[in-house]
Amino acid sequence: MIRTSRAHLNVEAYSHQGMTGKNNEDRYAVASFRVSEKDNTPVLFAVLADGIGGHKGGEVAAELAVNHVMQSVAKGDGRFSREVIEQAINEASSAIAAHSATNDELKGMGATCAIAWVIDNKLYTAYVGDSRIYLMRGGRIQQLTVDHSWVQEAIEKGILTPELARDHPNVHVIRRYLGSPVPPEPDFRLNLFDGEGAHHSENNQGTELQPNDVLLLCTDGLTDLLWNDEILEIVRTKPNLKEASRALVNLANERGGHDNTTVVLIGAPSDFRSKTAPRKKKESNWVWWLIGGIVALFFVLAVASILTFNLLRRGGAVTATPAISAPQPGLVTETPLPEFTPTTIPTDTAAPDVILPTATLTPWPTNTVSP
């Protein structure tokens, strides 16, 4: 892929360390591309990571996760495939594990990962851990991801409700993370509706974004303290993505801000459509002239046919009497003209005339957003 300076979607991101004084262990990167020199299909790739391990371990792990995933995907041909994501996740996870093994202070570090990959107008996602991706469309918010956490498993088994899960002691115990001894399996479920089966939700990959859609990638510092309907209300009522991103993080901080909070908002413009869809060609003016001529011709033929039919129905003969020429002026004779005896001239019967018409791997800059 070829890096570009301008994205085909609106992007805004904001990250805050929270109110407890801990280091910010969240990292993110967003970059725009086009597929190749011959293929101008636009591509937007966003990756977000939440570090695990405390002190400096978490931020190192998150940095490694973002860099390796971004660079691995950027080297590709711009076409989504599960293999590309799986390879990127495995490389990042192995790099974190190897780095952790060489430094006792970094042992046990890891990171979550959430990926949104938009090729033209098609959305693809992948994730590991409990960082989330939401889609806001038409006054509705939908969580596209499923947390890989202990409390999520308890909710699915009916042991906990979502309300009780939020305050459970195991709320931050995650089941999958980058840097684990065994490389984690990225999750490709993309849930457009609640209760979708795994097979059906995986088939949602490549779903088309619509005008005014908003994607949200976020760490658990946000979702621990805000409910989904609150997130939707803030994004809907703010005039732009920048103000929405600040308002989301600020509300989390007002409610305690006990963790780092990072949000990445990706919005489809109101006139958003596929850049690669074939455009309808405008008909030339001569086409319209031809259509108009054909319509006029049929109109004339119809009128002529009606008139002809009416004349034929009458069936009456027309009697014509020859005209007698009057003497032309200026003819003078000296001899009187003989008397003229008129005779009866027989009449001729003529049919009416009818006239018919005629037809015609340098480190990727994190916490940056392509404009």
Side-chain angles (χ1 to χ4, degrees):
M1 292 191 294
I2 300 173
R3 185 77 185 271
T4 59
S5 59
R6 189 174 185 84
H8 69 299
L9 298 164
N10 300 322
V11 181
E12 190 62 47
Y14 186 51
S15 183
H16 195 280
Q17 66 185 27
M19 307 305 290
T20 62
K22 64 182 291 187
N23 292 335
N24 194 340
E25 299 175 351
D26 293 350
R27 294 291 186 273
Y28 68 88
V30 185
S32 59
F33 307 87
R34 56 191 175 97
V35 170
S36 67
E37 290 288 354
K38 296 182 179 180
D39 188 347
N40 289 323
T41 301
V43 177
L44 184 78
F45 187 83
V47 54
L48 175 148
D50 183 357
I52 305 166
H55 194 47
K56 291 187 176 181
E59 56 189 278
V60 172
E63 187 89 17
L64 289 170
V66 168
N67 281 340
H68 277 272
V69 170
M70 179 62 80
Q71 292 186 43
S72 180
V73 171
K75 291 185 297 185
D77 60 5
R79 294 174 177 82
F80 172 83
S81 72
R82 293 172 61 114
E83 291 74 18
V84 170
I85 294 297
E86 289 169 350
Q87 180 179 349
I89 292 293
N90 287 341
E91 289 179 1
S93 183
S94 299
I96 294 171
H99 205 78
S100 175
T102 61
N103 191 328
D104 291 339
E105 295 182 358
L106 302 178
K107 282 187 176 180
M109 70 178 183
T112 67
C113 183
I115 293 169
W117 190 351
V118 184
I119 302 174
D120 194 17
N121 65 336
K122 293 181 173 57
L123 171 66
Y124 304 89
T125 63
Y127 50 96
V128 173
D130 59 356
S131 292
R132 295 180 180 176
I133 305 174
Y134 290 91
L135 171 64
M136 284 164 271
R137 170 184 292 172
R140 176 176 174 268
I141 184 170
Q142 176 64 36
Q143 182 178 331
L144 303 180
T145 56
V146 181
D147 294 347
H148 302 140
S149 64
W150 187 93
V151 294
Q152 178 62 34
E153 293 178 1
I155 291 172
E156 292 174 356
K157 294 177 181 178
I159 299 172
L160 292 175
T161 64
E163 292 76 15
L164 293 175
R166 177 164 290 193
D167 297 321
H168 196 276
N170 292 340
V171 67
H172 291 145
V173 176
I174 60 175
R175 295 302 199 190
R176 299 188 208 178
Y177 63 93
L178 279 68
S180 58
V182 177
E185 180 182 353
D187 199 330
F188 293 99
R189 287 177 292 175
L190 195 162
N191 295 286
L192 293 176
F193 300 96
D194 294 333
E196 288 186 298
H199 178 72
H200 190 279
S201 57
E202 288 185 9
N203 287 338
N204 289 332
Q205 291 290 344
T207 188
E208 293 186 358
L209 293 180
Q210 300 177 8
N212 299 315
D213 280 355
V214 177
L215 290 171
L216 167 65
L217 286 71
C218 62
T219 56
D220 60 354
L222 182 75
T223 53
D224 282 350
L225 298 172
L226 274 68
W227 294 101
N228 290 357
D229 58 346
E230 293 177 313
I231 295 173
L232 175 63
E233 183 63 18
I234 289 174
V235 174
R236 288 182 61 191
T237 56
K238 294 303 176 182
N240 53 58
L241 297 183
K242 182 176 182 179
E243 291 196 24
S245 65
R246 271 58 174 177
L248 290 170
V249 175
N250 290 341
L251 183 55
N253 287 337
E254 290 172 8
R255 294 180 177 177
H258 58 71
D259 199 358
N260 314 139
T261 304
T262 300
V263 300
V264 178
L265 289 169
I266 302 172
S270 57
D271 60 348
F272 183 70
R273 66 176 180 81
S274 172
K275 301 294 184 181
T276 60
R279 297 184 180 183
K280 184 179 180 180
K281 294 183 179 179
K282 294 184 178 180
E283 291 85 354
S284 301
N285 289 335
W286 68 267
V287 175
W288 293 109
W289 281 107
L290 178 60
I291 294 174
I294 293 174
V295 171
L297 174 62
F298 276 104
F299 177 76
V300 172
L301 289 174
V303 172
S305 298
I306 293 172
L307 293 175
T308 303
F309 178 75
N310 288 336
L311 290 173
L312 292 176
R313 284 186 60 188
R314 293 177 184 177
V318 179
T319 302
T321 303
I324 302 175
S325 300
Q328 295 183 5
L331 294 179
V332 181
T333 59
E334 296 179 356
T335 306
L337 293 174
E339 292 185 3
F340 177 77
T341 303
T343 58
T344 302
I345 302 175
T347 59
D348 295 329
T349 301
D353 292 334
V354 178
I355 301 175
L356 295 178
T358 55
T360 46
L361 288 188
T362 51
W364 198 274
T366 58
N367 294 9
T368 59
V369 181
S370 296

